[in-house]
Amino acid sequence: MQELKLFVVVPCYNEEEVLYETNKRLSEKLDSLISSGAISPLSRILYVNDGSSDGTWNLIQSFHKDDERVWGISLSRNKGHQNALLAGLFCAKEHCDAAISMDADLQDDIDAVDAMVAKYKEGNDIVYGVRNSRKKDSFFKRNTAQLFYRVMKLLGAQIVYNHADYRLMSKRALDALSEYHEYNMFLRGIVPMVGFDSAVVYYERQERFAGKSKYPLKKMLSFAFEGITSLSIRPIRVITSLGAIVLLLSIIMMIYTFARHINGETVSGWSSLIISIWALGGLQIFCIGIIGEYIGKVYLETKARPKYIIKELLDDTRRTQDND
Ligand code: UDP
Ligand code: MG
């Protein structure tokens, strides 16, 4: 087998406090993998500076100067974790056989890289890093994160439980990912859609080595909301069902008011008023739901997602290569 050119992609937003240590540990990891022959000496670490306002980019520049294996990209402004990650992955895919994405804060256990590489060599195109516990997370983060995964599942998004953005992707999986042209790239949801053989590597999630989380509650909520709305149109279905239920209730109300009307228990005008309120309300919600269905369709169409991704092709070129 040809030597594996591995790129480790690290998005960084104001990470000057932790980056020195991260770079030290990552370089050591690369050294040991290269000397054991697991990866090629052409493997690289690629930092993406996501418009940091501190000394992050200066640090990356100095790492690059000291070590040719360190590469860096600097984005024009802060574009958020997912976009920074994509910038790094799409740059890496032009040069690598596989890329691993990892946070800068050393929360993702670097030693899991070995297992990821091994799984890749067994023929997996995507290897998900999954944390086996959230003991080190705060009570709040643990519970909100779990709620998020549950809601996503309920809404029909295929996401890997307790997997964040620590994963290995082969070049062809990255090529396939680049076929997804949507603006809101919620990677955790899109990557499983890409398909190919995949495997899981478990690791212990560490505490942040230094610095503060760049995901305050507000960002976390908007991330969850983006995730749900970019992957699922099920909330619209809920509205349609709600409309249907209210419409059904209005029939029951109609029978009820009619019965009371016959028994002469009502003030004049009450029956027609109550029935109209229920029936019209139900009809309106139902119609909004139907319109929503069409908007949902338009929404999915505009994403122009690939209809299929070819995994292997057996044709003449392959035959001549094999016969060489
Ligand atoms: N990050 C980024 N851009 C942002 C926010 C975060 O590139 O706008 C990076 C950050 O530097 C880190 C990773 O995304 O490498 C994950 O962020 P963080 O560790 O703060 O999130 P948490 O682990 O607290 O969920
Ligand atoms: Mg973190």
PDB file of all heavy atoms in Angstrom, residues 10-15 48 50 78-81 84 102-105 107 141 205 208 212-215 219, ligand 1:
ATOM      1  N   VAL A  10      -6.944  21.776  12.014  1.00  0.00           N
ATOM      2  CA  VAL A  10      -7.301  22.314  13.332  1.00  0.00           C
ATOM      3  C   VAL A  10      -7.849  23.733  13.208  1.00  0.00           C
ATOM      4  O   VAL A  10      -7.091  24.661  12.918  1.00  0.00           O
ATOM      5  CB  VAL A  10      -6.060  22.324  14.258  1.00  0.00           C
ATOM      6  CG1 VAL A  10      -6.449  22.701  15.675  1.00  0.00           C
ATOM      7  CG2 VAL A  10      -5.338  20.999  14.234  1.00  0.00           C
ATOM      8  N   PRO A  11      -9.149  23.931  13.392  1.00  0.00           N
ATOM      9  CA  PRO A  11      -9.683  25.301  13.365  1.00  0.00           C
ATOM     10  C   PRO A  11      -9.350  26.018  14.672  1.00  0.00           C
ATOM     11  O   PRO A  11      -9.452  25.428  15.748  1.00  0.00           O
ATOM     12  CB  PRO A  11     -11.196  25.101  13.240  1.00  0.00           C
ATOM     13  CG  PRO A  11     -11.463  23.754  13.799  1.00  0.00           C
ATOM     14  CD  PRO A  11     -10.211  22.938  13.646  1.00  0.00           C
ATOM     15  N   CYS A  12      -8.933  27.281  14.576  1.00  0.00           N
ATOM     16  CA  CYS A  12      -8.523  27.999  15.787  1.00  0.00           C
ATOM     17  C   CYS A  12      -9.162  29.381  15.830  1.00  0.00           C
ATOM     18  O   CYS A  12      -9.003  30.165  14.893  1.00  0.00           O
ATOM     19  CB  CYS A  12      -7.019  28.218  15.811  1.00  0.00           C
ATOM     20  SG  CYS A  12      -6.064  26.776  15.398  1.00  0.00           S
ATOM     21  N   TYR A  13      -9.847  29.660  16.904  1.00  0.00           N
ATOM     22  CA  TYR A  13     -10.407  30.992  17.087  1.00  0.00           C
ATOM     23  C   TYR A  13      -9.950  31.495  18.457  1.00  0.00           C
ATOM     24  O   TYR A  13     -10.364  30.950  19.484  1.00  0.00           O
ATOM     25  CB  TYR A  13     -11.930  30.932  16.987  1.00  0.00           C
ATOM     26  CG  TYR A  13     -12.606  32.253  17.233  1.00  0.00           C
ATOM     27  CD1 TYR A  13     -12.259  33.381  16.515  1.00  0.00           C
ATOM     28  CD2 TYR A  13     -13.609  32.365  18.193  1.00  0.00           C
ATOM     29  CE1 TYR A  13     -12.873  34.587  16.743  1.00  0.00           C
ATOM     30  CE2 TYR A  13     -14.247  33.569  18.424  1.00  0.00           C
ATOM     31  CZ  TYR A  13     -13.877  34.675  17.703  1.00  0.00           C
ATOM     32  OH  TYR A  13     -14.487  35.875  17.934  1.00  0.00           O
ATOM     33  N   ASN A  14      -9.080  32.474  18.459  1.00  0.00           N
ATOM     34  CA  ASN A  14      -8.516  33.009  19.697  1.00  0.00           C
ATOM     35  C   ASN A  14      -7.991  31.918  20.619  1.00  0.00           C
ATOM     36  O   ASN A  14      -8.403  31.797  21.760  1.00  0.00           O
ATOM     37  CB  ASN A  14      -9.567  33.854  20.433  1.00  0.00           C
ATOM     38  CG  ASN A  14      -9.920  35.103  19.666  1.00  0.00           C
ATOM     39  OD1 ASN A  14      -9.205  35.487  18.740  1.00  0.00           O
ATOM     40  ND2 ASN A  14     -11.018  35.735  20.032  1.00  0.00           N
ATOM     41  N   GLU A  15      -7.085  31.131  20.090  1.00  0.00           N
ATOM     42  CA  GLU A  15      -6.577  29.993  20.862  1.00  0.00           C
ATOM     43  C   GLU A  15      -5.113  30.164  21.260  1.00  0.00           C
ATOM     44  O   GLU A  15      -4.399  29.192  21.419  1.00  0.00           O
ATOM     45  CB  GLU A  15      -6.750  28.687  20.062  1.00  0.00           C
ATOM     46  CG  GLU A  15      -8.163  28.308  19.716  1.00  0.00           C
ATOM     47  CD  GLU A  15      -8.952  27.737  20.885  1.00  0.00           C
ATOM     48  OE1 GLU A  15      -8.451  27.778  22.028  1.00  0.00           O
ATOM     49  OE2 GLU A  15     -10.075  27.262  20.658  1.00  0.00           O
ATOM     50  N   VAL A  48      -6.251  26.423  10.826  1.00  0.00           N
ATOM     51  CA  VAL A  48      -7.093  27.425  10.167  1.00  0.00           C
ATOM     52  C   VAL A  48      -7.384  28.514  11.181  1.00  0.00           C
ATOM     53  O   VAL A  48      -8.027  28.266  12.205  1.00  0.00           O
ATOM     54  CB  VAL A  48      -8.427  26.808   9.685  1.00  0.00           C
ATOM     55  CG1 VAL A  48      -9.244  27.855   8.941  1.00  0.00           C
ATOM     56  CG2 VAL A  48      -8.177  25.601   8.812  1.00  0.00           C
ATOM     57  N   ASP A  50      -9.467  31.300  12.295  1.00  0.00           N
ATOM     58  CA  ASP A  50     -10.813  31.759  11.975  1.00  0.00           C
ATOM     59  C   ASP A  50     -11.012  33.206  12.438  1.00  0.00           C
ATOM     60  O   ASP A  50     -11.807  33.485  13.323  1.00  0.00           O
ATOM     61  CB  ASP A  50     -11.821  30.813  12.655  1.00  0.00           C
ATOM     62  CG  ASP A  50     -13.257  31.143  12.290  1.00  0.00           C
ATOM     63  OD1 ASP A  50     -13.466  31.871  11.309  1.00  0.00           O
ATOM     64  OD2 ASP A  50     -14.162  30.685  12.999  1.00  0.00           O
ATOM     65  N   ASN A  78     -13.936  36.165  11.171  1.00  0.00           N
ATOM     66  CA  ASN A  78     -14.489  35.024  11.879  1.00  0.00           C
ATOM     67  C   ASN A  78     -15.728  34.498  11.164  1.00  0.00           C
ATOM     68  O   ASN A  78     -16.684  35.227  10.920  1.00  0.00           O
ATOM     69  CB  ASN A  78     -14.839  35.429  13.314  1.00  0.00           C
ATOM     70  CG  ASN A  78     -15.422  34.272  14.102  1.00  0.00           C
ATOM     71  OD1 ASN A  78     -16.599  34.258  14.396  1.00  0.00           O
ATOM     72  ND2 ASN A  78     -14.606  33.300  14.397  1.00  0.00           N
ATOM     73  N   LYS A  79     -15.660  33.236  10.768  1.00  0.00           N
ATOM     74  CA  LYS A  79     -16.758  32.655  10.007  1.00  0.00           C
ATOM     75  C   LYS A  79     -17.407  31.488  10.728  1.00  0.00           C
ATOM     76  O   LYS A  79     -18.289  30.830  10.175  1.00  0.00           O
ATOM     77  CB  LYS A  79     -16.232  32.165   8.644  1.00  0.00           C
ATOM     78  CG  LYS A  79     -16.051  33.273   7.638  1.00  0.00           C
ATOM     79  CD  LYS A  79     -17.360  33.959   7.413  1.00  0.00           C
ATOM     80  CE  LYS A  79     -17.575  34.511   6.047  1.00  0.00           C
ATOM     81  NZ  LYS A  79     -18.973  34.965   5.904  1.00  0.00           N
ATOM     82  N   GLY A  80     -16.935  31.210  11.925  1.00  0.00           N
ATOM     83  CA  GLY A  80     -17.535  30.116  12.695  1.00  0.00           C
ATOM     84  C   GLY A  80     -16.820  28.792  12.477  1.00  0.00           C
ATOM     85  O   GLY A  80     -16.231  28.552  11.424  1.00  0.00           O
ATOM     86  N   HIS A  81     -16.912  27.969  13.492  1.00  0.00           N
ATOM     87  CA  HIS A  81     -16.219  26.691  13.547  1.00  0.00           C
ATOM     88  C   HIS A  81     -16.426  25.831  12.294  1.00  0.00           C
ATOM     89  O   HIS A  81     -15.468  25.367  11.679  1.00  0.00           O
ATOM     90  CB  HIS A  81     -16.729  25.979  14.804  1.00  0.00           C
ATOM     91  CG  HIS A  81     -16.177  24.622  15.006  1.00  0.00           C
ATOM     92  ND1 HIS A  81     -16.887  23.641  15.638  1.00  0.00           N
ATOM     93  CD2 HIS A  81     -15.012  24.072  14.655  1.00  0.00           C
ATOM     94  CE1 HIS A  81     -16.156  22.552  15.670  1.00  0.00           C
ATOM     95  NE2 HIS A  81     -15.013  22.778  15.085  1.00  0.00           N
ATOM     96  N   ALA A  84     -14.740  27.277   9.191  1.00  0.00           N
ATOM     97  CA  ALA A  84     -13.279  27.202   9.313  1.00  0.00           C
ATOM     98  C   ALA A  84     -12.829  25.771   9.023  1.00  0.00           C
ATOM     99  O   ALA A  84     -11.849  25.537   8.318  1.00  0.00           O
ATOM    100  CB  ALA A  84     -12.851  27.627  10.710  1.00  0.00           C
ATOM    101  N   MET A 102      -9.855  18.220  14.072  1.00  0.00           N
ATOM    102  CA  MET A 102      -9.723  18.141  15.523  1.00  0.00           C
ATOM    103  C   MET A 102      -9.756  19.544  16.112  1.00  0.00           C
ATOM    104  O   MET A 102      -9.318  20.495  15.468  1.00  0.00           O
ATOM    105  CB  MET A 102      -8.391  17.430  15.778  1.00  0.00           C
ATOM    106  CG  MET A 102      -7.789  17.607  17.090  1.00  0.00           C
ATOM    107  SD  MET A 102      -6.089  16.969  17.176  1.00  0.00           S
ATOM    108  CE  MET A 102      -6.190  15.321  16.596  1.00  0.00           C
ATOM    109  N   ASP A 103     -10.307  19.688  17.331  1.00  0.00           N
ATOM    110  CA  ASP A 103     -10.335  21.004  17.968  1.00  0.00           C
ATOM    111  C   ASP A 103      -8.940  21.400  18.445  1.00  0.00           C
ATOM    112  O   ASP A 103      -8.102  20.548  18.703  1.00  0.00           O
ATOM    113  CB  ASP A 103     -11.276  20.996  19.173  1.00  0.00           C
ATOM    114  CG  ASP A 103     -12.729  20.952  18.736  1.00  0.00           C
ATOM    115  OD1 ASP A 103     -12.979  21.023  17.522  1.00  0.00           O
ATOM    116  OD2 ASP A 103     -13.600  20.846  19.620  1.00  0.00           O
ATOM    117  N   ALA A 104      -8.748  22.708  18.599  1.00  0.00           N
ATOM    118  CA  ALA A 104      -7.425  23.190  18.999  1.00  0.00           C
ATOM    119  C   ALA A 104      -7.188  23.039  20.498  1.00  0.00           C
ATOM    120  O   ALA A 104      -6.067  23.137  20.966  1.00  0.00           O
ATOM    121  CB  ALA A 104      -7.302  24.659  18.616  1.00  0.00           C
ATOM    122  N   ASP A 105      -8.258  22.803  21.255  1.00  0.00           N
ATOM    123  CA  ASP A 105      -8.139  22.933  22.712  1.00  0.00           C
ATOM    124  C   ASP A 105      -7.709  21.655  23.431  1.00  0.00           C
ATOM    125  O   ASP A 105      -7.770  21.579  24.646  1.00  0.00           O
ATOM    126  CB  ASP A 105      -9.467  23.431  23.291  1.00  0.00           C
ATOM    127  CG  ASP A 105     -10.619  22.528  22.898  1.00  0.00           C
ATOM    128  OD1 ASP A 105     -10.365  21.465  22.312  1.00  0.00           O
ATOM    129  OD2 ASP A 105     -11.768  22.894  23.179  1.00  0.00           O
ATOM    130  N   GLN A 107      -9.167  18.891  23.708  1.00  0.00           N
ATOM    131  CA  GLN A 107     -10.237  18.114  24.343  1.00  0.00           C
ATOM    132  C   GLN A 107     -10.364  16.750  23.669  1.00  0.00           C
ATOM    133  O   GLN A 107     -10.766  15.781  24.284  1.00  0.00           O
ATOM    134  CB  GLN A 107     -11.568  18.856  24.239  1.00  0.00           C
ATOM    135  CG  GLN A 107     -11.677  20.001  25.200  1.00  0.00           C
ATOM    136  CD  GLN A 107     -13.103  20.501  25.297  1.00  0.00           C
ATOM    137  OE1 GLN A 107     -13.598  21.158  24.407  1.00  0.00           O
ATOM    138  NE2 GLN A 107     -13.765  20.188  26.391  1.00  0.00           N
ATOM    139  N   LYS A 141     -23.507  21.559  30.162  1.00  0.00           N
ATOM    140  CA  LYS A 141     -23.107  21.225  28.797  1.00  0.00           C
ATOM    141  C   LYS A 141     -23.508  19.782  28.459  1.00  0.00           C
ATOM    142  O   LYS A 141     -24.001  19.487  27.376  1.00  0.00           O
ATOM    143  CB  LYS A 141     -21.585  21.401  28.666  1.00  0.00           C
ATOM    144  CG  LYS A 141     -21.049  21.059  27.301  1.00  0.00           C
ATOM    145  CD  LYS A 141     -20.567  22.290  26.591  1.00  0.00           C
ATOM    146  CE  LYS A 141     -20.299  22.004  25.135  1.00  0.00           C
ATOM    147  NZ  LYS A 141     -19.924  23.165  24.405  1.00  0.00           N
ATOM    148  N   ARG A 205     -13.048  12.176  26.468  1.00  0.00           N
ATOM    149  CA  ARG A 205     -12.978  13.615  26.206  1.00  0.00           C
ATOM    150  C   ARG A 205     -12.321  14.317  27.391  1.00  0.00           C
ATOM    151  O   ARG A 205     -12.733  14.133  28.525  1.00  0.00           O
ATOM    152  CB  ARG A 205     -14.394  14.141  26.017  1.00  0.00           C
ATOM    153  CG  ARG A 205     -14.449  15.645  25.838  1.00  0.00           C
ATOM    154  CD  ARG A 205     -15.098  15.986  24.555  1.00  0.00           C
ATOM    155  NE  ARG A 205     -15.552  17.368  24.536  1.00  0.00           N
ATOM    156  CZ  ARG A 205     -15.379  18.153  23.483  1.00  0.00           C
ATOM    157  NH1 ARG A 205     -14.774  17.692  22.430  1.00  0.00           N
ATOM    158  NH2 ARG A 205     -15.834  19.385  23.499  1.00  0.00           N
ATOM    159  N   ARG A 208     -10.813  21.209  28.623  1.00  0.00           N
ATOM    160  CA  ARG A 208     -10.075  22.165  27.804  1.00  0.00           C
ATOM    161  C   ARG A 208      -8.722  22.411  28.437  1.00  0.00           C
ATOM    162  O   ARG A 208      -8.643  22.676  29.633  1.00  0.00           O
ATOM    163  CB  ARG A 208     -10.887  23.464  27.766  1.00  0.00           C
ATOM    164  CG  ARG A 208     -10.652  24.259  26.529  1.00  0.00           C
ATOM    165  CD  ARG A 208     -11.586  25.450  26.531  1.00  0.00           C
ATOM    166  NE  ARG A 208     -12.032  25.726  25.161  1.00  0.00           N
ATOM    167  CZ  ARG A 208     -11.237  26.253  24.240  1.00  0.00           C
ATOM    168  NH1 ARG A 208     -10.005  26.572  24.536  1.00  0.00           N
ATOM    169  NH2 ARG A 208     -11.693  26.468  23.022  1.00  0.00           N
ATOM    170  N   LYS A 212     -10.843  29.668  27.078  1.00  0.00           N
ATOM    171  CA  LYS A 212     -12.277  29.492  27.354  1.00  0.00           C
ATOM    172  C   LYS A 212     -12.990  28.872  26.156  1.00  0.00           C
ATOM    173  O   LYS A 212     -12.535  28.984  25.030  1.00  0.00           O
ATOM    174  CB  LYS A 212     -12.899  30.861  27.634  1.00  0.00           C
ATOM    175  CG  LYS A 212     -12.745  31.302  29.074  1.00  0.00           C
ATOM    176  CD  LYS A 212     -13.868  32.239  29.511  1.00  0.00           C
ATOM    177  CE  LYS A 212     -13.718  33.649  28.975  1.00  0.00           C
ATOM    178  NZ  LYS A 212     -12.657  34.466  29.537  1.00  0.00           N
ATOM    179  N   SER A 213     -14.140  28.249  26.411  1.00  0.00           N
ATOM    180  CA  SER A 213     -14.940  27.692  25.322  1.00  0.00           C
ATOM    181  C   SER A 213     -15.390  28.820  24.398  1.00  0.00           C
ATOM    182  O   SER A 213     -15.757  29.901  24.849  1.00  0.00           O
ATOM    183  CB  SER A 213     -16.162  26.966  25.878  1.00  0.00           C
ATOM    184  OG  SER A 213     -17.028  26.652  24.821  1.00  0.00           O
ATOM    185  N   LYS A 214     -15.326  28.558  23.076  1.00  0.00           N
ATOM    186  CA  LYS A 214     -15.753  29.573  22.112  1.00  0.00           C
ATOM    187  C   LYS A 214     -17.219  29.361  21.752  1.00  0.00           C
ATOM    188  O   LYS A 214     -17.724  29.933  20.800  1.00  0.00           O
ATOM    189  CB  LYS A 214     -14.886  29.507  20.861  1.00  0.00           C
ATOM    190  CG  LYS A 214     -13.385  29.557  21.145  1.00  0.00           C
ATOM    191  CD  LYS A 214     -12.989  30.861  21.804  1.00  0.00           C
ATOM    192  CE  LYS A 214     -11.512  30.958  22.152  1.00  0.00           C
ATOM    193  NZ  LYS A 214     -10.980  29.944  23.021  1.00  0.00           N
ATOM    194  N   TYR A 215     -17.867  28.478  22.500  1.00  0.00           N
ATOM    195  CA  TYR A 215     -19.281  28.226  22.263  1.00  0.00           C
ATOM    196  C   TYR A 215     -20.110  28.611  23.479  1.00  0.00           C
ATOM    197  O   TYR A 215     -20.531  27.762  24.237  1.00  0.00           O
ATOM    198  CB  TYR A 215     -19.520  26.742  21.946  1.00  0.00           C
ATOM    199  CG  TYR A 215     -19.458  26.435  20.480  1.00  0.00           C
ATOM    200  CD1 TYR A 215     -18.354  25.805  19.928  1.00  0.00           C
ATOM    201  CD2 TYR A 215     -20.507  26.777  19.646  1.00  0.00           C
ATOM    202  CE1 TYR A 215     -18.279  25.521  18.580  1.00  0.00           C
ATOM    203  CE2 TYR A 215     -20.448  26.503  18.297  1.00  0.00           C
ATOM    204  CZ  TYR A 215     -19.336  25.878  17.772  1.00  0.00           C
ATOM    205  OH  TYR A 215     -19.280  25.605  16.428  1.00  0.00           O
ATOM    206  N   LYS A 219     -24.308  30.911  21.202  1.00  0.00           N
ATOM    207  CA  LYS A 219     -23.792  30.277  19.995  1.00  0.00           C
ATOM    208  C   LYS A 219     -24.248  28.825  19.903  1.00  0.00           C
ATOM    209  O   LYS A 219     -24.532  28.311  18.825  1.00  0.00           O
ATOM    210  CB  LYS A 219     -22.264  30.331  20.002  1.00  0.00           C
ATOM    211  CG  LYS A 219     -21.687  31.250  18.950  1.00  0.00           C
ATOM    212  CD  LYS A 219     -20.195  31.044  18.849  1.00  0.00           C
ATOM    213  CE  LYS A 219     -19.539  32.054  17.955  1.00  0.00           C
ATOM    214  NZ  LYS A 219     -18.097  32.004  18.003  1.00  0.00           N
TER     215      LYS A 219
HETATM  216  N1  UDP B   1     -13.713  27.715  16.713  1.00  0.00           N
HETATM  217  C1  UDP B   1     -13.563  28.370  15.488  1.00  0.00           C
HETATM  218  N2  UDP B   1     -14.377  29.428  15.209  1.00  0.00           N
HETATM  219  C2  UDP B   1     -15.366  29.865  16.067  1.00  0.00           C
HETATM  220  C3  UDP B   1     -15.531  29.151  17.285  1.00  0.00           C
HETATM  221  C4  UDP B   1     -14.700  28.085  17.565  1.00  0.00           C
HETATM  222  O1  UDP B   1     -12.703  28.014  14.688  1.00  0.00           O
HETATM  223  O2  UDP B   1     -16.054  30.821  15.744  1.00  0.00           O
HETATM  224  C5  UDP B   1     -12.825  26.559  17.011  1.00  0.00           C
HETATM  225  C6  UDP B   1     -12.108  26.657  18.345  1.00  0.00           C
HETATM  226  O3  UDP B   1     -10.911  27.370  18.241  1.00  0.00           O
HETATM  227  C7  UDP B   1     -11.887  25.187  18.682  1.00  0.00           C
HETATM  228  C8  UDP B   1     -13.085  24.505  18.073  1.00  0.00           C
HETATM  229  O4  UDP B   1     -13.622  25.415  17.120  1.00  0.00           O
HETATM  230  O5  UDP B   1     -10.727  24.670  18.063  1.00  0.00           O
HETATM  231  C9  UDP B   1     -14.132  24.124  19.104  1.00  0.00           C
HETATM  232  O6  UDP B   1     -14.461  25.221  19.913  1.00  0.00           O
HETATM  233  P1  UDP B   1     -14.574  25.113  21.497  1.00  0.00           P
HETATM  234  O7  UDP B   1     -13.537  24.197  22.026  1.00  0.00           O
HETATM  235  O8  UDP B   1     -14.572  26.480  22.072  1.00  0.00           O
HETATM  236  O9  UDP B   1     -16.011  24.456  21.667  1.00  0.00           O
HETATM  237  P2  UDP B   1     -16.502  23.468  22.835  1.00  0.00           P
HETATM  238  O10 UDP B   1     -15.498  22.355  22.901  1.00  0.00           O
HETATM  239  O11 UDP B   1     -16.535  24.270  24.070  1.00  0.00           O
HETATM  240  O12 UDP B   1     -17.841  22.995  22.374  1.00  0.00           O
END
